Amino acid sequence: MSVLSRRQLLAGAGGLGLVALLAACGVDDEESPAADGPAEQGGTLRAGTPTPPTAVEPVTMYDGSSIALVQLIADYLIWLDSDFTLVPRLAQKWTGTNQNKTWEFALREGVVFSDGTPLDATAVKASFDRLLDPASKSAALSAFDGVLSPGGVAVKDPKTVVFTLDRAFSDFPYLVSAGNYNAVILKADYAGDFTKNAIGTGPFTLKSYNASTGASLVRNPKYWESGKPYLDGVEVRFYQDSQAEQLALQSGELDTLFITEPSVVQAVGDIALDEVGGTGMTALTLRVDRAPFDKKEVRQAVAYALDRPAVNQAVNDGIGELGNDHLYAPLFASAPSEIPQRAKDPAKVKELLAAAGVSKLAFPLTFDPPNKDYALVIQAQLKEVGIEVKLDQRTSAAFYGGNQESDTPWLFTTANLVSWAGRAVPSQFVNPMVTSTGVWNGSKYKNPALDAALTAYDAATDDAGRKKQAKIIAAALHEDVPVVLSLWNGAVRAYNKRKFRGIKAHPSWYVDYTNVSAI
Amino acid sequence: MRHLLLRRLAAIPLTLLAISALVFLATEVLPGDVARQILGREASDATAAQLRDELGLDRPLPVRYADWLVSFFSGDWGTSYTLKVPVRELVFERLGASMLLAVFAFVLLVPVALLIGVLAGLYHDRPVDRILSVTGLALGATPEFVTGVVLMVVFAVSLRWFPVSAQADPGASLVNRLEHLVLPAVSLVLLCLGYVARHVRASTVASVRSPYVRAAELRGASRFSIVTRHVLRNSTVPATSALGVQAQFLLGGLVSVELLFNYPGIGALLLTAALDKDLPTLQAAALVLGFCYLLITLAVDVVYRLLDPRLRLGVAV
């Protein structure tokens, strides 16, 4: 079968003929000049990014633009690299004791904030106390929920911070890393209004900020890593339209994009794309407590009806990795490899529906505009096996509006599509999405065995223990299908290969320009 | 004329009051929640409720409206819920940007539209007229974001004659700012050209057939003199209202051009504020824009009367 690609859909909707237009204009595609040799200091990188929807505030931020901007100015205890390895930053080392209920972090010597104040354990404790305080309306509260509570952070000495957890949590270093993007270390007396008091230990300092147009950053001369960053500065421009951003990149007005939509930006001429796997995804959530999905066979039938490689091509330009209806992305170290990949099987669909006693399956699918293409692909694919999907598009405001405990569409409709940003650890998906007490359990799935396995997973002290529990959880999800997970989003980052090197993609679009240099 | 001015000026506050009430009510029925916009969907209901309480969103609608109204008209326009910057500063910054683009586009539009309209009128029903009229109609029917993309790809990306972005660097000179505005202004001119030129053409045709032009011809006046002294002057009068409509459109209806050329104007601000339910920003932007519309309408009426003595003197036309 043929499935409309996202680009075709855009073109069909009159969105753009950009790719064709650019090709028609004869943009050359020569090889980039040699980009090896030692990196030299100098140059200003011009980066484009969507206009932040709210004021840039590290404690409450959740959008990619704000996160990237803050990451240029402030740093984390640990950086989460693009392959999900943990890289020491403000913390030089860390150890878990008391069966991973207590974690001790030793801070790097010689680090100062951009105003000259030395980094110490008090600032680190204050940063986490702030994130744990409900009054701060911190966006990290959900990540720490059930793991770390207010009062759980202590100063052992000026260079050592101790975290005492509510329960054993072996992946805790990920929760204080960039993977928990709000966890940047700010000064102890930080009281908000970040763009006017942007003091951090990051590679750049904020020279100016305009909520409508962008930001100007210059090298932080007090940055702890000697000789870095190489760049003199970064000019950030805000865009409300991805086409405008793409054209600015293509015309040379921009050198890179914080966030790159693979379906819009093409590697043409001077533009190169760096690509990585990711842990973000769009889940097709099915209400297991409500007809028609109260029967496992019906949910499995939907899962077997999808042509996952075609979905990947259509909605993600083929850069993602196939999902297998569980929440362990290939990028997670504990991801089980023993569960066979689910693939399209029309005969199996018929067999499962017959076993469930369903002669004709029809259901509404609720979603918001960003998932329109995904919904259309699902509708087309399910139609091929005789399943009728009635599309129910809501505005994003309506889809995520309402009460999270009683009626919000993204948690209470029969079937819906929800995009989930990448997470640093699988428990950040499993716990809220599919455990009996999960706060975002849209499928209303309850499985005590899975709950117990997750507790055991979080308490496991070694990789083998984690893998064992991950296999139990993944197998249960694969079998019961509370969520159909066709693919894990990959991420790309576009940059001008003739002007800069060292720009890398990141699964969560994080930005680290410490190694970027002008060519 | 003075009565007209006083009457119209007196109606402005009442109209603005009606606009503010309508916008307030409309915002109430819009789906969505500004607290969720600020905190993200993953914030708990308790956290969102706390923010709503801090913003005073749980108070009854009339109380909030009265509160906002008193503050606004006493000079306190408040702070944007989402961007946390003073609304007055934000709205005037965006309005200034929109006015610069609108004025620039208008300055390009007027002479070109007059020239094309008069030419088409003088050669009406001949090939020149047909070519100009069809081209104007076609351009008017083409969405500005389509002509904009084509202009950008050809003149900015490929030829690199003009910048892609309409936004100049902070502190740029006026010349540099105008250079950035060439492509968006041209895409707006192309959109409006046909409409204005059509009005000019129609009145030119009427003028050419009029007794005073016939009389001038019989007096032996040159064609150039007839066009400049009789035709052009009379053709300008009906074009004034068409230009007034376009001026209003250029000021506030630029959202797609603002987005495409990444220009932080008031249209895009209005759109974002409405989508985010950022009430202080939405109200202030709507009122300021409404005020500008009313002023433009008034100005058009005044100019119309100045140009046409029959209206000024109350003679039936």
Side-chain angles (χ1 to χ4, degrees):
Chain A
M1 64 156 276
S2 70
V3 178
L4 279 178
S5 78
R6 184 157 179 221
R7 202 174 305 128
Q8 286 169 317
L9 281 164
L10 277 172
L16 262 193
L18 260 187
V19 178
L21 270 170
L22 288 168
C25 284
V27 183
D28 75 291
D29 194 15
E30 291 167 25
E31 284 300 306
S32 62
D36 43 10
E40 289 178 11
Q41 287 216 329
T44 297
L45 184 78
R46 296 161 303 168
T49 194
T51 307
T54 62
V56 176
E57 172 52 60
V59 179
T60 55
M61 65 186 179
Y62 62 89
D63 68 289
S65 296
S66 298
I67 293 165
L69 193 59
V70 168
Q71 286 173 341
L72 293 173
I73 299 162
D75 212 343
Y76 298 89
L77 291 179
I78 306 168
W79 179 251
L80 182 72
D81 221 346
S82 57
D83 61 357
F84 269 46
T85 53
L86 295 176
V87 181
R89 282 281 174 88
L90 301 182
Q92 254 176 328
K93 58 179 182 179
W94 51 91
T95 42
T97 54
N98 188 19
Q99 291 186 316
N100 288 338
K101 268 192 82 174
T102 306
W103 288 85
E104 199 169 292
F105 289 77
L107 302 183
R108 187 177 295 279
E109 294 289 341
V111 179
V112 293
F113 286 96
S114 54
D115 68 346
T117 308
L119 170 80
D120 59 13
T122 308
V124 176
K125 173 178 159 43
S127 295
F128 284 96
D129 285 347
R130 201 178 290 121
L131 294 176
L132 293 165
D133 179 6
S136 71
K137 298 182 276 298
S138 148
L141 283 170
S142 60
F144 288 124
D145 187 33
V147 178
L148 180 66
S149 299
V153 192
V155 173
K156 184 178 177 186
D157 61 55
K159 289 293 172 189
T160 311
V161 187
V162 178
F163 294 82
T164 305
L165 311 188
D166 302 340
R167 61 182 170 102
F169 199 79
S170 58
D171 279 335
F172 184 69
Y174 283 94
L175 289 192
V176 297
S177 77
N180 187 3
Y181 45 74
N182 302 98
V184 285
I185 305 304
L186 303 170
K187 284 184 68 180
D189 59 358
Y190 175 73
D193 219 350
F194 183 73
T195 49
K196 287 184 183 156
N197 309 287
I199 297 167
T201 58
F204 298 94
T205 59
L206 187 64
K207 192 174 141 197
S208 65
Y209 180 82
N210 182 307
S212 305
T213 58
S216 181
L217 299 105
V218 293
R219 180 193 292 127
N220 176 8
K222 297 186 177 74
Y223 185 57
W224 58 268
E225 196 173 359
S226 175
K228 290 186 179 176
Y230 299 118
L231 296 170
D232 288 338
V234 181
E235 291 292 332
V236 181
R237 280 207 168 174
F238 296 153
Y239 288 80
Q240 290 201 55
D241 183 87
S242 56
Q243 300 165 20
E245 217 183 358
Q246 142 79 346
L247 286 165
L249 182 73
Q250 211 71 55
S251 73
E253 280 180 44
L254 290 177
D255 304 314
T256 186
L257 309 179
F258 282 173
I259 297 165
T260 304
E261 286 184 40
S263 59
V264 176
V265 181
Q266 306 296 311
V268 184
D270 296 347
I271 307 308
L273 294 176
D274 190 44
E275 184 181 323
V276 290
T279 64
M281 46 84 181
T282 297
L284 168 55
T285 306
L286 308 172
R287 283 282 295 264
V288 303
D289 61 339
R290 178 190 283 184
F293 297 119
D294 51 349
K295 291 176 178 157
K296 182 173 77 177
E297 293 78 8
V298 179
R299 303 194 297 271
Q300 288 178 339
V302 171
Y304 278 110
L306 291 175
D307 178 350
R308 292 160 201 248
V311 174
N312 189 15
Q313 197 58 47
V315 302
N316 211 25
D317 269 32
I319 64 163
E321 295 191 63
L322 298 190
N324 202 15
D325 303 328
H326 60 68
L327 293 166
Y328 288 81
L331 210 52
F332 293 135
S334 56
S337 53
E338 303 88 345
I339 302 171
Q341 174 64 49
R342 189 165 271 151
K344 183 177 177 179
D345 188 342
K348 187 101 178 163
V349 174
K350 279 188 184 167
E351 185 188 311
L352 286 163
L353 289 178
V358 176
S359 56
K360 169 74 182 169
L361 177 60
F363 66 91
L365 176 62
T366 310
F367 56 95
D368 68 335
N371 279 320
K372 181 188 61 168
D373 297 351
Y374 209 142
L376 285 166
V377 171
I378 287 175
Q379 185 188 42
Q381 291 200 354
L382 296 194
K383 192 179 177 187
E384 287 190 3
V385 292
I387 299 174
E388 186 191 333
V389 177
K390 188 182 171 197
L391 300 181
D392 172 24
Q393 179 172 303
R394 315 275 179 98
T395 63
S396 294
F399 187 65
Y400 292 110
N403 190 304
Q404 290 196 355
E405 285 169 12
S406 59
D407 61 7
T408 183
W410 75 282
L411 293 177
F412 285 90
T413 45
T414 302
N416 61 60
L417 283 172
V418 174
S419 291
W420 294 84
R423 297 294 199 268
V425 295
S427 297
Q428 286 181 305
F429 284 130
V430 179
N431 189 28
M433 285 177 70
V434 288
T435 57
S436 305
T437 54
V439 288
W440 301 317
N441 186 341
S443 65
K444 314 304 168 202
Y445 176 68
K446 286 182 175 30
N447 181 344
L450 182 146
D451 297 349
L454 182 65
T455 305
Y457 175 96
D458 288 340
T461 52
D462 57 22
D463 286 346
R466 269 189 290 273
K467 282 199 167 188
K468 183 181 167 194
Q469 301 304 327
K471 189 179 167 190
I472 294 170
I473 296 166
L477 293 173
H478 181 83
E479 171 67 16
D480 294 342
V481 203
V483 291
V484 178
L485 219 157
S486 306
L487 65 119
W488 294 95
N489 301 335
V492 295
R493 178 162 282 147
Y495 65 99
N496 189 315
K497 64 188 178 190
R498 292 182 195 280
K499 293 183 180 170
F500 291 93
R501 62 180 163 174
I503 295 173
K504 300 287 178 196
H506 190 282
S508 301
W509 291 308
Y510 293 165
V511 166
D512 175 13
Y513 288 161
T514 49
N515 289 312
V516 174
S517 61
I519 294 173
Chain B
M1 180 75 99
R2 188 194 299 165
H3 285 300
L4 171 87
L5 267 176
L6 289 175
R7 209 170 54 239
R8 298 287 290 276
L9 284 171
I12 287 179
L14 285 175
T15 314
L16 292 179
L17 201 64
I19 292 173
S20 74
L22 281 174
V23 172
F24 216 94
L25 283 172
T27 316
E28 278 302 301
V29 267
L30 282 175
D33 175 5
V34 70
R36 287 255 164 243
Q37 176 66 18
I38 294 168
L39 299 171
R41 75 171 199 231
E42 296 185 4
S44 68
D45 282 338
T47 308
Q50 185 189 335
L51 180 59
R52 276 194 290 275
D53 185 49
E54 285 173 19
L55 294 174
L57 298 175
D58 291 335
R59 294 174 303 157
L61 180 69
V63 175
R64 281 190 290 134
Y65 179 60
D67 196 24
W68 171 83
L69 203 63
V70 170
S71 300
F72 186 85
F73 286 104
S74 59
D76 176 11
W77 291 20
T79 304
S80 160
Y81 286 162
T82 52
L83 300 177
K84 291 186 184 168
V85 294
V87 167
R88 184 203 291 267
E89 202 177 281
L90 184 64
V91 167
F92 280 115
E93 180 187 303
R94 295 296 197 95
L95 180 69
S98 278
M99 283 176 88
L100 182 67
L101 176 55
V103 168
F104 187 44
F106 199 74
V107 166
L108 296 179
L109 171 69
V110 173
V112 179
L114 283 177
L115 181 69
I116 289 177
V118 169
L119 266 178
L122 290 176
Y123 296 97
H124 65 96
D125 292 340
R126 286 155 70 178
V128 173
D129 175 29
R130 293 210 173 94
I131 290 169
L132 290 175
S133 299
V134 170
T135 308
L137 271 175
L139 287 171
T142 310
E144 63 273 29
F145 54 84
V146 174
T147 46
V149 166
V150 174
L151 288 172
M152 284 168 99
V153 171
V154 175
F155 294 104
V157 177
S158 184
L159 297 172
R160 303 207 174 184
W161 290 356
F162 297 101
V164 163
S165 170
Q167 196 187 125
D169 290 329
S173 66
L174 182 64
V175 173
N176 185 256
R177 289 183 73 183
L178 292 180
E179 190 191 342
H180 279 79
L181 292 179
V182 169
L183 293 184
V186 169
S187 66
L188 287 168
V189 168
L190 293 178
L191 182 71
C192 303
L193 193 58
Y195 177 78
V196 180
R198 212 162 54 246
H199 279 76
V200 178
R201 177 195 174 275
S203 48
T204 302
V205 171
S207 296
V208 168
R209 290 172 176 160
S210 67
Y212 54 83
V213 169
R214 183 68 55 83
E217 282 172 347
L218 291 173
R219 284 200 307 272
S222 69
R223 189 161 172 81
F224 180 77
S225 164
I226 291 171
V227 170
T228 51
R229 292 186 58 190
H230 300 286
V231 175
L232 194 56
R233 190 170 172 186
N234 285 289
S235 305
T236 318
V237 181
T240 310
S241 61
L243 284 168
V245 172
Q246 296 308 306
Q248 290 172 333
F249 167 73
L250 288 174
L251 192 60
L254 302 168
V255 180
S256 54
V257 168
E258 286 176 7
L259 296 182
L260 183 63
F261 289 93
N262 199 37
Y263 192 63
I266 197 158
L269 180 71
L270 207 58
L271 176 71
T272 315
L275 291 173
D276 294 350
K277 297 188 86 171
D278 183 359
L279 203 62
T281 309
L282 180 62
Q283 284 281 32
L287 284 191
V288 166
L289 213 48
F291 183 68
C292 292
Y293 277 20
L294 294 172
L295 280 189
I296 290 171
T297 311
L298 183 59
V300 168
D301 285 352
V302 170
V303 171
Y304 213 93
R305 278 169 166 74
L306 289 175
L307 287 173
D308 190 338
R310 292 169 300 183
L311 285 172
R312 198 163 63 235
L313 301 170
V315 179
V317 289

